[in-house]
Amino acid sequence: MQVSVENTSALERRMTIAVPAERVENEVNKRLQQTAKRAKVAGFRPGKVPMSVIRQRFEADARQEAFGDLVQASFYEAIVEQKLNPAGAPAVEPKSFEKGKDLEFVAIFEVFPEFTVAGFESIAVERLSAEVADADLDNMLEVLRKQNTRFEAVERAAANDDQVNIDFVGKVDGEVFAGGSAKGTQLVLGSGRMIPGFEDGLVGAKAGEERVVNVTFPEDYQNLDLAGKAAEFTITVNSVSAPVLPELNEAFFAQFGIKESTLEGFRAEVRKNMERELRQAIKTKVKNQVMDGLLAANPVEVPKALLENEVNRLRVQAVQQFGGNIKPEQLPAELFEEQAKRRVVLGLIVAEVVKQFELKPDEAEVRKMIEEMASAYQEPEQVVAWYYKNDQQLNEVRSVVLEEQVVDTVLQKATVTDKSVSYEEAVKPAQAAADAE
């Protein structure tokens, strides 16, 4: 077999392969002999059909089958011989496939980029540290209570945080507009659910009262027909209800699947969950900084095949998340290209770090991570056992642990600054923290 390889770009390879005619004919004859054993031809008993008849009737199909199998087999042999690492399936262009002659074809494909991960010393990481203070715990308990707020009807005027039941009709330029009217709507004043000015206009209203509220739709309103326009809403208040926070008692604790009957026990469980969330938030922020640093220090050309596969994977995820009667391929590829490129490049870089430093998942850390996740359930031992009985889930945890080992490897060489912050700052998402600054 003759093989020649041309580099048509940094990653694309054009490989020409010639398979000897003798090998081709052997493959064709092998298929014809197999066909002869089972072929049913009128006038002949099964298995007794002359080869001349078999060849006349079935040689074209046998030759086509041989072509497909030989292309696949010889391509694999060629990339092993040439020590190439394809990043996707090849595009095959037949050159010659005539009886009695060598089979020749061209395979065009991309290879994985070859590089060494460098620049660890240039990566700067700010590693946060924080504790769950009693005040943080108290705030969390209040958040949990507010999330379970119930409303009770009152006979007074509505104030912010009250819930009102309303009917309303909206008009623009004196005409009722689509989607601007509703009956029996429950609205918590101050929630920001309605356009600016709508909720403010109901503060001080009582049950049975009708109010006319004038507002202006924001310039960036999602309905472009209404954006920036003045509107008048006639609103009837059906009822006013005040918020009532639940008591911190056994019934409340049970809503969270916690068996503790005392406030002290409940606080301990909540603190444990907050500390777990804190550890994960800090770990995630460190990891993101490390990955950003690796990306900046290691520009890598991305194989188109890998990028396309990742774009398609993100399309499917988007459809699964948002639903609707839309097919993944209907979503524009450019919506996902930036995210897909980041994922692919990071995947290549992380894999190369694993290779360079000969990293393997630390099974003790795997067990620790599983036990940490299991601790959030009522029967942690059963959860741990479930992971170790399911290879797919177990391997997913191993992948996460291996990625953490990559982060630790980078941190040993990076410039790391430790910073003590509050619990709230530590768990705040990175983008939200940047926006606040």
Side-chain angles (χ1 to χ4, degrees), residues 172 177 195-196 215-221 226-231 233:
V172 171
F177 60 91
I195 61 174
V215 296
T216 300
F217 283 95
E219 293 292 342
D220 59 352
Y221 192 64
L226 298 174
K229 290 188 176 181
F233 284 91

Side-chain angles (χ1 to χ4, degrees), residues 354 357-363 398 401-402 405:
V354 169
F357 292 90
E358 299 180 346
L359 302 177
K360 294 181 179 180
D362 184 330
E363 291 301 326
R398 286 191 175 118
V401 168
L402 189 58
Q405 290 174 227

Side-chain angles (χ1 to χ4, degrees), residues 94-130:
K95 291 186 67 178
S96 173
F97 188 46
E98 297 179 29
K99 185 175 181 178
K101 294 185 178 181
D102 292 351
L103 162 64
E104 288 188 51
F105 67 93
V106 173
I108 301 173
F109 56 95
E110 290 178 298
V111 296
F112 281 90
E114 295 183 1
F115 63 98
T116 300
V117 182
F120 298 110
E121 294 79 7
S122 68
I123 298 174
V125 176
E126 183 180 72
R127 183 167 52 198
L128 305 181
S129 61

Side-chain angles (χ1 to χ4, degrees), residues 284-296:
T284 298
K285 288 182 178 179
V286 168
K287 173 188 168 183
N288 289 342
Q289 292 176 79
V290 166
M291 295 303 171
D292 288 343
L294 286 172
L295 279 173

Side-chain angles (χ1 to χ4, degrees), residues 69 83 98 212 283 289 293 348:
D69 290 349
K83 298 180 180 179
E98 297 179 29
V212 176
K283 189 183 296 183
Q289 292 176 79
L348 293 171

Side-chain angles (χ1 to χ4, degrees), residues 25 33 95 110 119 160 190 220 227 244 297 303 330 345 350 412 427:
E25 296 308 315
Q33 290 167 4
K95 291 186 67 178
E110 290 178 298
N160 273 330
D220 59 352
V244 178
Q330 292 177 296
V345 173
V350 167
Q412 291 174 15
V427 299

